[in-house]
Amino acid sequence: MNFNTSVLISIVPALLIVRGLRRFLDLPVRMPRFNALLNHIWVPGVVLMGLAYLFEWKSDQLDEFYIFIVLSIVVLVLIRLSFYRPARTLLLAVAPYTLYAAIELLIAVTGRDLLKEYDDVFETSQGFAFIWLFTFLFIARSQKKSLEAERLQREEEEKAKRLIEAQNAELERLVAERTSTLTQQTEELREALTELRTTQAQLIQAEKMASLGELTAGIAHEIQNPLNFVTNFSDVSAELITELDEERQKSERDPELEAELLEDLRQNLTKITFHGQRAASIVRGMLEHSRASSGERQPTDLNVLADEYLRLAYHGLRAKNKAFNATMNTDFDPNLGQIEAVSQDLGRVLLNLFTNAFYAVHKKQEAHPQDGYVPTVSVRTHRTAENTVEVHVRDNGAGIPEGMQQKIFQPFFTTKPTGEGTGLGLSLSYDIVTKGHGGTLTVESEEGTGTEFIITLPA
């Protein structure tokens, strides 16, 4: 074989080695400059062929020398890529064969007798170097696959991470928008709640004023009787004084007549005092009802309280409609005794129940004026075996439909037409009895027959 053919044949595996090295180690990415230089791996072979031709060298070792140069370049590349684990493994793979090639080339240059003498040893070493080379090539290939799998996994994780970050960013944006919307809605709800509370306070005040108006009308009618008595007895007393003065101016005075006039005058003054005190008592009750409750419980006689507010509620409705008349039945337990309660608050409850009862019978009377209907409101008190006291307020009005009975204690719910009720009277009464006094307020009603409210309080 001439020198041109031997070196030329060696260039082909060198190109294959470089091509495999590029693909395996990704040299265009990892070492672009070395990758460009490897494009000229054939240059040393051509140079060797030229030198051999010029100087007429023997061509026996030129191909071995060229392969050694290629292996040295490969080792240099692998050393530069020693940070890459498959490159380190390849370096271990080619190192024994490169060392063997160097020793063989050195011995061939210095003398061939040694190669012939130890031919078996060199062949064994060459076989071992090839086995070592291919073994570590497979190991490096496995390492690259493992690293490639890890890289793909990292890329997937990075991709998932970026996706999660993008989703988080979108979620944060949506949360920020939602938070802004909720904040705005919260402000709107807060403003609506403030307006609602203001309106509720106004309605409660209106209900109190309506209750006070009912009470005032009843008191005005009730107080008219003692005032009439005071006026009448005052007029009679003035006439008696005139008669007494005339009798005293006579020359012949009648002692018996004077004594009789004085006695009549004393009786009139006593009646004036009695009815004046009665009027003062009514005024005191009005003042106690109109002023805010102190919340202090005091011994309270429910019989007296119920009787007083029953008459006040009746006269309050009569003050609006002089033609209205109703029968009032009372059944007060004489053994009821006194209970600890806030009398002003319970008075408001009783006034509200009585007013509603008279309103119900009045409306039924207007609806059936010719059927002999007699409006009747009854109140009954008694002490139970469970050491509680009960107040029953019953009317024979139109009754409450069953579907509404569960709602009548709700705020702003009313069975009255628009403009005739705020829907707060029974709600406030329910709160006063249940929350203020630890009792119960229930209703029993049959449509067309009547309604009964039952107040139960701890004795």
Side-chain angles (χ1 to χ4, degrees):
M1 180 181 294
N2 58 50
F3 68 90
N4 291 328
T5 303
S6 63
V7 176
L8 185 60
I9 292 174
S10 299
I11 291 176
V12 175
L15 293 175
L16 294 176
I17 292 173
V18 168
R19 182 182 178 186
L21 193 66
R22 282 173 171 173
R23 294 181 59 183
F24 189 82
L25 297 177
D26 299 326
L27 291 181
V29 177
R30 299 180 185 276
M31 299 180 67
R33 293 182 62 184
F34 268 87
N35 179 67
L37 292 176
L38 289 176
N39 289 330
H40 306 91
I41 194 66
W42 51 271
V43 173
V46 173
V47 171
L48 286 175
M49 286 191 295
L51 291 175
Y53 179 77
L54 290 175
F55 296 102
E56 298 182 354
W57 289 346
K58 293 182 179 181
S59 60
D60 294 345
Q61 286 82 36
L62 287 181
D63 57 341
E64 296 176 357
F65 185 67
Y66 174 68
I67 291 299
F68 176 73
I69 293 174
V70 172
L71 290 175
S72 300
I73 294 173
V74 170
V75 170
L76 179 62
V77 171
L78 294 176
I79 291 174
R80 294 292 300 272
L81 286 176
S82 59
F83 60 87
Y84 185 46
R85 188 169 60 181
R88 294 197 299 271
T89 304
L90 282 181
L91 182 61
L92 290 175
V94 301
Y97 188 80
T98 304
L99 180 61
Y100 168 81
I103 294 173
E104 185 181 25
L105 181 61
L106 180 62
I107 293 175
V109 171
T110 56
R112 289 184 175 273
D113 295 338
L114 190 60
L115 288 174
K116 294 179 180 180
E117 185 177 352
Y118 295 99
D119 184 60
D120 294 338
V121 175
F122 279 96
E123 288 182 357
T124 302
S125 299
Q126 187 180 24
F128 172 78
F130 271 112
I131 293 173
W132 179 276
L133 175 65
F134 284 108
T135 301
F136 275 87
L137 281 176
F138 282 111
I139 294 175
R141 185 168 176 268
S142 299
Q143 288 177 343
K144 183 177 180 181
K145 287 184 177 180
S146 176
L147 290 176
E148 185 66 18
E150 292 178 1
R151 183 184 66 81
L152 292 176
Q153 183 178 358
R154 284 197 303 271
E155 288 180 355
E156 290 294 329
E157 291 176 353
E158 288 294 327
K159 184 178 179 181
K161 183 178 179 182
R162 287 194 298 270
L163 180 60
I164 292 174
E165 289 176 352
Q167 291 176 344
N168 288 338
E170 180 66 16
L171 287 175
E172 289 177 359
R173 184 184 66 80
L174 294 175
V175 168
E177 292 180 358
R178 186 61 177 166
T179 302
S180 177
T181 303
L182 290 176
T183 302
Q184 182 179 356
Q185 292 177 349
T186 301
E187 291 298 326
E188 293 174 355
L189 288 175
R190 186 177 291 111
E191 292 177 1
L193 180 60
T194 302
E195 293 178 1
L196 180 61
R197 286 176 176 171
T198 302
T199 305
Q200 185 179 19
Q202 293 173 350
L203 288 173
I204 291 174
Q205 184 63 27
E207 178 65 26
K208 289 183 178 179
M209 294 305 295
S211 175
L212 183 59
E214 297 284 348
L215 178 65
T216 303
I219 288 173
H221 191 281
E222 184 73 11
I223 206 173
Q224 188 66 41
N225 289 331
L227 289 179
N228 288 336
F229 279 111
V230 170
T231 302
N232 293 334
F233 283 117
S234 297
D235 292 341
V236 173
S237 297
E239 293 176 358
L240 290 174
I241 292 174
T242 301
E243 292 181 12
L244 184 59
D245 285 340
E246 292 176 352
E247 185 65 27
R248 291 179 62 186
Q249 292 175 3
K250 292 180 180 180
S251 56
E252 295 181 3
R253 297 169 58 181
D254 186 352
E256 292 182 359
L257 180 59
E258 289 182 358
E260 183 179 350
L261 291 173
L262 288 173
E263 180 61 27
D264 290 343
L265 184 60
R266 184 181 297 106
Q267 290 178 0
N268 285 351
L269 291 175
T270 301
K271 293 178 180 178
I272 289 172
T273 301
F274 172 77
H275 289 290
Q277 291 176 348
R278 173 60 183 157
S281 174
I282 294 172
V283 171
R284 275 197 307 273
M286 181 183 68
L287 293 175
E288 288 178 357
H289 184 85
S290 61
R291 66 172 175 255
S293 172
S294 63
E296 296 180 2
R297 298 192 181 191
Q298 298 176 349
T300 301
D301 191 331
L302 279 181
N303 290 339
V304 174
L305 200 65
D307 184 61
E308 180 179 357
Y309 282 96
L310 176 66
R311 288 184 291 103
L312 290 177
Y314 175 65
H315 291 308
L317 186 56
R318 275 186 52 81
K320 297 179 181 179
N321 187 353
K322 298 294 184 181
F324 173 71
N325 286 292
T327 300
M328 295 181 290
N329 295 328
T330 59
D331 181 12
F332 296 133
D333 186 354
N335 299 320
L336 189 68
Q338 294 185 334
I339 65 169
E340 293 292 325
V342 184
S343 58
Q344 299 98 319
D345 291 347
L346 283 185
R348 289 192 179 96
V349 174
L350 291 171
L351 180 65
N352 186 273
L353 295 181
F354 293 143
T355 301
N356 287 346
F358 284 118
Y359 176 87
V361 298
H362 177 50
K363 288 299 180 182
K364 186 174 181 179
Q365 185 184 43
E366 288 182 341
H368 307 280
Q370 304 297 332
D371 62 355
Y373 170 70
V374 179
T376 304
V377 175
S378 305
V379 56
R380 179 170 65 92
T381 63
H382 72 99
R383 180 182 290 267
T384 67
E386 292 80 16
N387 198 29
T388 61
V389 295
E390 292 183 354
V391 181
H392 296 249
V393 179
R394 182 171 182 80
D395 65 72
N396 63 344
I400 303 173
E402 185 176 355
M404 295 184 179
Q405 294 181 23
Q406 302 298 324
K407 303 177 182 179
I408 60 173
F409 296 122
Q410 296 178 4
F412 311 113
F413 179 83
T414 179
T415 58
K416 297 179 181 179
T418 303
E420 294 190 23
T422 62
L424 289 173
L426 287 177
S427 173
L428 291 173
S429 299
Y430 184 83
D431 288 343
I432 290 173
V433 173
T434 58
K435 298 179 182 178
H437 292 81
T440 60
L441 176 59
T442 57
V443 61
E444 297 176 0
S445 182
E446 184 177 349
E447 193 170 1
T449 302
T451 302
E452 181 175 15
F453 286 91
I454 304 171
I455 301 173
T456 304
L457 298 170

